[in-house]
Amino acid sequence: MEFLRVRQEEAVGIIELYRPKVLNALNIPLMGELVSELERMERDDTIRAIVLTGNERAFAAGADIQEMAEEDAISMLVKDQFAQWDRMNQITKPIIAAVSGYVLGGGCELMMHCDLIVASETTQIGQPEINLGVMPGAGGTQRLTKLIGKIRAMEMLLTGEPISATEALHFGLVNRVVPVEFYLSEAIDLAHNIAAKPPVAARMIKKSVQIAQDTTLAEGLSYERNAFYLLFASADQKEGMKAFMEKRPADFKGK
Ligand code: DAK
């Protein structure tokens, strides 16, 4: 792969965006590689949680402006070059973003696709598309509004000004803020913690939370209850409850 660096630490798959000279600007080939790699990790039973990161200076400074600059509406529509973004929604394993530096435009939208977010103290998160004469196109107006509320989202989207890691923590946009030297290791530790949990339950929880954001409370509660009942068909439920009663750590197999 040209634009990713990939490794695995026990049950954690780690994907690093790698276009450092252009602050990890998200061009079409990079996004293609990223989605393919996420789908490969989804199929790999030895991986139970995924960390997605960039580098200290930039998680990603947005979609590649050079690639988009000369497009017109019809060429954008016909290519539908960003359709691959939707495939990321199908990943059922928990994805933890480890972000630092610039998290802008499509970079912020990519971060919001993830399930948990660890940020370094130097992180700046923004949706500056308005400064380019456009607007977010990969969920920036929708996911950001759901995550931080209308008034805060309006300010970020209409001014294009980034917010700091501390503000993002205060807004509930990231889970943790840590010194820059620790943001990746903190995210990997969090991923190991989650990877040790029963994977079928983790998958159902992820789906249930996604549904909470997309449907009514009644539909969400109904999905949750059925998923809860279904987990009683798993070996991990038997193991988890037996281990509790036998006062020993559970050994979850993902069955
Ligand atoms: N695209 C292409 N190149 C970029 C880039 C980007 N988004 N951001 C930075 N670069 C490149 C710069 O051109 C420069 O390249 P060279 O000149 O060295 O060849 C290099 O990275 C270093 O950047 P700077 O020299 O500018 O570094 P500074 O520290 O001075 O400034 C900066 C850093 C992040 C403040 C600045 O680079 C900047 O403002 N970058 C643009 C940020 C931005 O506007 N981002 C939003 C892009 S629009 C969709 C999906 C996604 C999207 C839309 C639709 N669908 C699914 C439909 C997303 C749209 C966007 O993200």
Side-chain angles (χ1 to χ4, degrees), residues 28-253:
I28 297 170
L30 183 155
M31 287 307 298
E33 287 183 9
L34 175 59
V35 174
S36 299
E37 186 54 28
L38 286 169
E39 288 174 343
R40 188 196 66 75
M41 289 189 175
E42 175 78 1
R43 290 190 301 272
D44 182 341
D45 287 341
T46 66
I47 292 178
R48 292 185 175 185
I50 299 166
V51 171
L52 177 60
T53 193
N55 57 58
E56 280 184 20
R57 190 170 172 219
F59 174 65
D64 192 316
I65 298 170
Q66 276 206 335
E67 199 177 58
M68 288 186 295
E70 297 305 322
E71 296 286 357
D72 61 51
I74 299 305
S75 68
M76 289 290 273
L77 185 80
V78 170
K79 277 194 208 163
D80 199 13
Q81 60 195 40
F82 296 109
Q84 51 197 354
W85 285 65
D86 297 337
R87 284 166 42 205
M88 275 189 291
N89 292 335
Q90 307 307 318
I91 305 297
T92 65
K93 294 180 182 175
I95 307 176
I96 296 109
V99 303
S100 181
Y102 297 114
V103 185
L104 302 177
C108 179
E109 291 167 315
L110 179 61
M111 179 192 81
M112 290 189 291
H113 266 280
C114 299
D115 305 304
L116 295 104
I117 299 159
V118 177
S120 83
E121 285 169 346
T122 62
T123 303
Q124 297 180 44
I125 302 175
Q127 297 281 172
E129 288 89 339
I130 193 164
N131 297 327
L132 300 170
V134 289
M135 61 179 282
T141 62
Q142 304 302 301
R143 290 201 176 88
L144 190 66
T145 304
K146 287 188 180 195
L147 285 168
I148 69 174
K150 173 189 157 184
I151 300 295
R152 288 163 167 165
M154 280 289 189
E155 183 168 345
M156 285 179 70
L157 292 159
L158 291 175
T159 67
E161 293 294 324
I163 59 170
S164 68
T166 315
E167 283 173 296
L169 185 66
H170 180 61
F171 290 1
L173 187 55
V174 302
N175 294 83
R176 299 177 190 180
V177 176
V178 297
V180 69
E181 56 271 37
F182 300 125
Y183 77 98
L184 181 55
S185 58
E186 180 81 11
I188 293 173
D189 285 351
L190 186 56
H192 280 299
N193 178 346
I194 292 169
K197 308 292 181 195
V200 184
R203 174 188 178 134
M204 298 286 200
I205 288 168
K206 174 166 174 170
K207 183 75 188 166
S208 235
V209 173
Q210 285 173 331
I211 285 177
Q213 294 197 301
D214 296 343
T215 59
T216 63
L217 179 62
E219 280 176 90
L221 287 172
S222 166
Y223 179 88
E224 181 192 74
R225 189 167 313 128
N226 287 328
F228 177 77
Y229 295 153
L230 189 58
L231 286 173
F232 282 76
S234 70
D236 284 346
Q237 175 267 326
K238 301 285 174 293
E239 165 63 7
M241 295 193 179
K242 195 159 173 255
F244 173 81
M245 290 184 296
E246 292 173 357
K247 300 189 187 302
R248 62 171 173 82
D251 180 17
F252 294 118
K253 304 282 192 213

